[in-house]
């Protein structure tokens, strides 16, 4: 089926950073370039958070919010996950998506730590760490699929949507304005012996697929 998905854009601010004259003048490194790179990092962190868990109301619709349920953990799995539930999560995504070759797992690093300790019925780890082979570098894989670490995905807890699986190319990000840097040399800062720095951007994101291309695993409530 076809429809219209709106990707609204929102303003994101790095917040103002005030820097003393002395730091800009006396430092042996280019402090202004360093500060600007830190402001870009700030914007990257807030947009990643909103593209992951944004509510869609007054902010981007995050992929966790937009994804459908693929598997709810069995009773007792409030802070863990079992092998069978991971298999069920993979198979909750239509094989047509899996056949495209773009499916991945996404989770918090703390969740990956738990999964790395899981073994199948033969005592073999289900997580295969990446390595540099003769044919080139191989990524970490879980049940044959790459793993993406996203610290904005919830850690495992009761009812937490802690693992995502699917083809994330269906989540679209729209940058309506490139990052704009501003330097403030006006009296509000000068009288305090400071220079102000600020960065703005406009961006939005939304999940544009209606076929369930990304599903989540939710830990058990009890």
């Amino acid at each position: 089926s076809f429809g219209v998905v709106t990707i609204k854009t929102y303003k994101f601010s790095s917040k103002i950073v005030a820097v003393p004259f002395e730091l800009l003048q006396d430092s042996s490194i280019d402090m202004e370039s360093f500060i600007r790179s830190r402001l870009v990092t700030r914007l990257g962190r807030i947009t990643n958070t909103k593209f992951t868990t944004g509510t869609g109301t007054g902010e981007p619709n995050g992929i966790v919010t937009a994804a459908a349920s693929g598997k709810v953990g069995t009773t007792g799995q409030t802070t863990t996950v079992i092998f069978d539930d991971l298999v069920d999560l993979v198979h909750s995504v239509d094989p047509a998506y899996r056949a495209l070759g773009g499916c991945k797992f996404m989770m918090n690093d703390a969740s990956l730590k738990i999964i790395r300790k899981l073994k199948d019925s033969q005592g073999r780890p289900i997580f295969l760490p990446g390595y540099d082979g003769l044919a080139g570098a191989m990524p970490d894989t879980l049940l044959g699929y790459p793993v993406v670490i996203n610290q904005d995905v919830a850690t495992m807890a009761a009812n937490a949507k802690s693992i995502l699986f699917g083809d994330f190319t269906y989540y679209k990000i729209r940058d309506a304005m490139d990052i704009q840097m501003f330097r403030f040399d006006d009296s509000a800062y000068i009288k305090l012996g400071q220079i102000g720095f600020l960065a703005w951007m406009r961006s939005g994101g939304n999940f544009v697929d209606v076929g369930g291309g990304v599903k989540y695993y939710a830990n058990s409530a009890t």
Side-chain angles (χ1 to χ4, degrees):
S1 61
F2 291 87
V4 176
V5 175
T6 301
I7 304 180
K8 296 181 180 179
T9 57
Y10 302 89
K11 286 197 298 184
F12 293 96
S13 168
S14 68
K15 308 301 182 185
I16 293 177
V17 173
V19 183
F21 290 164
E22 296 88 344
L23 188 59
L24 292 171
Q25 294 171 347
D26 300 342
S27 177
S28 59
I29 65 173
D30 186 348
M31 283 302 301
E32 184 165 344
S33 294
F34 175 78
I35 293 165
R36 290 176 181 271
S37 70
R38 294 294 87 192
L39 298 186
V40 171
T41 299
R42 279 188 173 185
L43 289 174
R45 289 183 181 277
I46 184 60
T47 52
N48 187 75
T49 297
K50 299 304 181 183
F51 295 152
T52 304
T53 59
T55 63
T57 302
E59 61 185 15
N61 193 34
I63 185 60
V64 175
T65 306
S69 175
K71 179 66 179 181
V72 176
T74 55
T75 301
Q77 303 301 317
T78 55
T79 58
T80 52
V81 61
I82 61 175
F83 176 79
D84 288 356
D85 286 350
L86 289 173
V87 173
D88 287 342
L89 176 61
V90 168
H91 286 272
S92 71
V93 174
D94 193 290
Y97 291 101
R98 307 202 309 266
L100 294 174
C103 286
K104 298 178 175 65
F105 283 96
M106 180 182 288
M107 66 190 74
N108 191 290
D109 188 62
S111 298
L112 179 61
K113 178 181 177 181
I114 293 170
I115 289 174
R116 294 184 72 173
K117 300 176 182 178
L118 291 180
K119 299 177 177 62
D120 64 17
S121 60
Q122 303 302 312
R124 297 169 299 191
I126 67 170
F127 176 84
L128 180 64
Y131 66 95
D132 290 328
L134 295 177
M138 296 181 63
D140 294 340
T141 60
L142 176 61
L143 301 179
Y145 296 96
V147 179
V148 175
I149 297 300
N150 182 346
Q151 292 298 85
D152 285 311
V153 177
T155 56
M156 291 192 181
N159 292 317
K161 299 175 182 178
S162 57
I163 303 174
L164 298 173
F165 175 79
D167 189 340
F168 295 92
T169 62
Y170 290 98
Y171 189 87
K172 303 299 182 182
I173 294 173
R174 175 190 172 205
D175 291 326
M177 182 182 82
D178 290 336
I179 295 176
Q180 299 291 317
M181 296 287 185
F182 298 92
R183 172 175 169 146
F184 301 108
D185 299 277
D186 56 83
S187 59
Y189 292 94
I190 295 298
K191 67 183 180 182
L192 299 175
Q194 300 173 336
I195 300 294
F197 296 90
L198 173 66
W200 285 98
M201 69 177 294
R202 289 179 59 230
S203 189
N206 207 343
F207 190 47
V208 300
D209 177 69
V210 296
V214 176
K215 300 286 186 70
Y216 65 80
Y217 165 82
N219 290 89
S220 174
T222 58

